[in-house]
Amino acid sequence: MSELGLNTISFAGHAASSAQFRVLYSEGMSLVEETAAYLDGQGRAASKVLPRMASVLYAAESMRLTTRLMQMASWLLLQRAVNNGEMSRDQVLAEKNKVRLDGFNVDRNAPGWNDLPEAFRDLVERSLRLQNRVALLDREIYRPTEAPIVPDNQNSVKAQLTLLQTAFGTN
C-alpha cells in the first residue's frame, strides 16, 4: 500500500494457483515420499550403526523431519483443494489453523549432528528450505488485509497524475 492507501496487486494469490504452485506441490510431495522411503530403508539400516549420541539425535530429528513434512503436506493439500474449488477460502482458513509451518528448527551444533548420515542431513536441509518457501507463501496469501483507503473523489490514476505533477512541478 502506498502512502495514499491505493490498492496493490497480490502476486502471492496468483502464484498459489499457478504453475509455480504446482511445482512447489510436486516438490513437497516428492520430498515426503523420498523421506519415507529413506527412513524405512537406508536410514533404518544407517541408524543402527550410529554412535549412541548420534542415535538419540537421529531418533529426535527423524521425528521432527516427519512432523515438518506432514505439516507442509497438509498445507499443500489444503491449498490445492482451494485452488481446485473443493474447499472455500473460509474452510481452508479454519483447517489451516491446525497446520504449523514454523518452530521445527534444527540445532546443527548438537552433539552427534556431524555423525548423522549425510543423506539424512540432506533431507533435513531440503525440508527446512521447503518449509521456508511454504511459510512465506502462506504469509503472503493469508495475511490479514486492510480495507483500502481511497482518497475522497479521486481514482487511483488521478492520484498518480497528481503525484507526478507534484514531483515534476508541472500543471
Side-chain angles (χ1 to χ4, degrees):
M1 306 269 308
S2 72
E3 290 179 9
L4 294 176
L6 303 175
N7 290 333
T8 58
I9 297 171
S10 170
F11 292 106
H14 297 290
S17 60
S18 70
Q20 180 184 5
F21 173 76
R22 288 188 293 278
V23 168
L24 180 66
Y25 178 86
S26 177
E27 184 180 339
M29 293 306 174
S30 294
L31 187 58
V32 168
E33 289 177 20
E34 181 183 349
T35 301
Y38 174 83
L39 293 174
D40 283 341
Q42 182 185 0
R44 182 171 296 183
S47 70
K48 291 180 180 182
V49 297
L50 290 173
R52 175 104 174 109
M53 187 62 73
S55 180
V56 172
L57 182 61
Y58 181 88
E61 288 301 329
S62 64
M63 295 275 287
R64 285 188 193 102
L65 174 61
T66 55
T67 301
R68 182 182 313 115
L69 288 172
M70 289 301 104
Q71 294 296 310
M72 284 187 291
S74 296
W75 188 92
L76 290 167
L77 288 167
L78 285 170
Q79 190 58 45
R80 186 182 74 170
V82 79
N83 291 350
N84 292 339
E86 299 164 1
M87 293 178 78
S88 71
R89 182 179 168 91
D90 289 338
Q91 288 172 314
V92 169
L93 284 171
E95 288 300 314
K96 84 171 216 62
N97 287 332
K98 301 171 190 172
V99 176
R100 231 176 118 193
L101 294 174
D102 56 5
F104 299 108
N105 294 324
V106 172
D107 182 5
R108 293 169 189 87
N109 297 318
W113 175 259
N114 292 327
D115 294 328
L116 296 175
E118 186 176 337
F120 178 76
R121 287 182 291 157
D122 179 61
L123 289 169
V124 168
E125 294 299 332
R126 289 170 45 208
S127 74
L128 289 168
R129 285 192 301 271
L130 185 64
Q131 174 189 24
N132 288 335
R133 289 171 49 205
V134 169
L136 178 65
L137 187 57
D138 178 72
R139 283 190 301 274
E140 289 299 316
I141 295 170
Y142 296 105
R143 71 177 166 204
T145 56
E146 298 175 12
I149 302 168
V150 178
D152 291 334
N153 299 323
Q154 283 188 341
N155 64 35
S156 58
V157 173
K158 184 175 179 183
Q160 289 297 315
L161 287 173
T162 302
L163 286 173
L164 288 170
Q165 289 172 343
T166 302
F168 294 105
T170 59
N171 290 331

